[in-house]
Amino acid sequence: MPLTIDFMLLVRLFFEFCRVGLFSVGGGLATIPFLTDLGERTGWFNPGDLANMIAISESTPGPMGVNMATYVGFHTAGVVGGVVATLGLVSSSIVIILIIAGFLQKFRQSKAVDAVFYGLRAASVALITAALLQVAKIALMFHEVPYIACPGGEGVEIQLFYWPAIILAVVIFVLVKFTPLKKLHPICFIGLAALAGAVLQM
């Protein structure tokens, strides 16, 4: 019975990430809205886990989308899950590239094809904008919403900003844009942010 459950989990991982790879036009950042939806539907990871995935994927070599697929797969089903999720993400892209390569030279001058590519630009911008907003919400706001009781007995949920993260973001932005430190390699700022995050979590 456990083997059947594990197999079905791997099958679902593969097809879920096939879907992510198929529709996330615009690169790694465009996968974030789909991963947010995936976490909410499956319960495989929460917003805090997603924040860790983004941080690790951005800090390690390799494409962000592939790194995140590997992370989710490993987090969900171990090493085999990481391999299956990664294959799922890249398989749809490989198939699409092979199909397009066969027809692009013939139809590249078509106005319909140009219109499709023009529309994909807008879709890509929308996905990346959604990813930006979601990352900002995850990084700069509390993941758990406090519940405050009112005198009448009813409760009110209030989403509070996580001020240490906001201050850290502002400080790094100022250092990168307006000080001589902007000449430093980006890895230095990643290390500084990681150190500050570790201190804030202590």
Side-chain angles (χ1 to χ4, degrees):
M1 190 66 173
L3 290 177
T4 303
I5 295 174
D6 289 343
F7 177 76
M8 294 307 297
L9 176 60
L10 293 177
V11 170
R12 187 175 183 188
L13 269 172
F14 182 85
F15 283 105
E16 288 286 0
F17 277 95
C18 268
R19 186 177 68 88
V20 172
L22 183 62
F23 294 106
S24 55
V25 180
L29 288 175
T31 64
I32 295 176
F34 295 99
L35 290 176
T36 302
D37 173 69
L38 180 62
E40 293 174 352
R41 286 190 294 105
T42 63
W44 288 343
F45 52 88
N46 57 40
D49 295 327
L50 181 59
N52 292 332
M53 293 178 208
I54 295 170
I56 293 172
S57 298
E58 286 280 39
S59 305
T60 52
M64 180 180 175
V66 173
N67 289 346
M68 293 184 73
T70 305
Y71 187 104
V72 174
F74 180 80
H75 183 75
T76 306
V79 175
V80 177
V83 174
V84 168
T86 304
L87 290 175
L89 183 78
V90 302
S91 60
S92 54
S93 301
I94 291 174
V95 171
I96 290 173
I97 289 172
L98 291 176
I99 293 174
I100 290 177
F103 292 93
L104 188 59
Q105 291 299 325
K106 184 176 180 180
F107 296 102
R108 186 63 188 92
Q109 303 303 320
S110 167
K111 292 183 178 180
V113 173
D114 285 338
V116 169
F117 277 101
Y118 188 79
L120 287 176
R121 295 180 193 173
S124 177
V125 171
L127 286 172
I128 293 174
T129 302
L132 172 64
L133 295 175
Q134 289 175 349
V135 170
K137 181 179 179 181
I138 292 171
L140 304 180
M141 302 181 78
F142 283 109
H143 305 314
E144 296 180 1
V145 180
Y147 186 82
I148 301 176
C150 295
E154 298 180 353
V156 178
E157 290 186 346
I158 300 178
Q159 190 83 0
L160 298 177
F161 290 104
Y162 185 49
W163 291 108
I166 294 175
I167 293 171
L168 177 62
V170 171
V171 168
I172 291 181
F173 177 79
V174 171
L175 292 177
V176 170
K177 292 294 183 180
F178 304 110
T179 73
L181 294 178
K182 64 183 179 181
K183 297 181 180 180
L184 292 177
H185 194 279
I187 193 65
C188 298
F189 294 99
I190 294 175
L192 174 62
L195 177 62
V199 171
L200 291 173
Q201 291 299 321
M202 293 178 60

